[in-house]
Amino acid sequence: MSIDEAIADRTHVEPAVEELESDGDLAADYIEGLLDIADLGGDIDIDVANGRAYVAVNGGGSDLDRLATPDVVQALQDLTRLAVQAKTGRFSRLIIDVGGSRNARAAELKGMVDAAIAQIAAGLDRVELEPMSSYERKLVHDDVAERGYFSESRGEGKDRRLVISRG
């Protein structure tokens, strides 16, 4: 099953904790190999939560900071997912973080939601956000719902974005 097929197939069964731990280990090995090739340092932490394996690369100094941009982290995540899928034969929903960039992006997304809700409170019917990854859209959907507003995804591929409106 390709990544696109797995994303489209929302009926798939959540993987067992053992599978997620295995995915995390395979991902950590793959990332460690990439860091070695690039002669970059970093500590790799693996966690399993919410039906996903989370692999974080921390430390490594300013050299690692160059990898901590949203586009690079997303590309690293896509490559790592493909590497894990090649080893296991199944789609992996693992999440990669470099230098805390996911937390920084989550804070940025909360700021976008704050601004959108302020615009709606000021009279707009809806506010369209910038395109974002499926993981980022999920974070925003959850945040918007917690605040009592409505969100929906629109668009295709890299242009897929959220539209926020009154609940």
Side-chain angles (χ1 to χ4, degrees):
M1 176 182 297
S2 73
I3 288 178
D4 292 333
E5 291 169 332
I7 291 170
D9 178 15
R10 302 289 183 193
T11 62
H12 72 280
V13 177
E14 289 294 320
V17 171
E18 295 79 21
E19 288 178 328
L20 294 171
E21 289 171 345
S22 173
D23 288 357
D25 288 338
L26 291 168
D29 290 345
Y30 179 76
I31 292 169
E32 188 174 337
L34 289 177
L35 292 174
D36 286 346
I37 290 168
D39 197 28
L40 295 173
D43 298 321
I44 300 176
D45 298 315
I46 304 168
D47 190 25
V48 172
N50 304 319
R52 293 178 186 256
Y54 291 83
V55 178
V57 182
N58 296 301
S62 61
D63 287 338
L64 195 60
D65 290 346
R66 292 181 292 160
L67 299 179
T69 67
D71 289 339
V72 173
V73 172
Q74 185 63 47
L76 180 59
Q77 178 172 288
D78 291 342
L79 288 171
T80 306
R81 282 180 172 178
L82 288 171
V84 169
Q85 182 177 349
K87 294 270 188 184
T88 64
R90 60 181 161 68
F91 177 72
S92 175
R93 296 174 59 210
L94 67 93
I95 301 295
I96 304 297
D97 183 32
V98 177
S101 63
R102 291 275 181 197
N103 289 338
R105 180 64 174 158
E108 197 176 305
L109 293 171
K110 279 197 176 290
M112 285 182 206
V113 172
D114 290 343
I117 289 174
Q119 291 174 15
I120 292 168
L124 288 180
D125 291 332
R126 63 187 185 92
V127 175
E128 190 171 288
L129 301 181
E130 68 185 39
M132 56 188 73
S133 72
S134 61
Y135 178 74
E136 292 173 339
R137 288 192 310 274
K138 176 171 180 356
L139 293 177
V140 172
H141 278 304
D142 291 347
D143 188 21
V144 168
E146 284 177 14
R147 298 178 192 213
Y149 287 80
F150 176 76
S151 61
E152 64 180 324
S153 293
R154 292 194 182 153
E156 299 296 325
K158 291 191 182 266
D159 291 328
R160 193 148 176 89
R161 62 189 66 225
L162 280 150
V163 177
I164 300 173
S165 58
R166 293 192 189 277

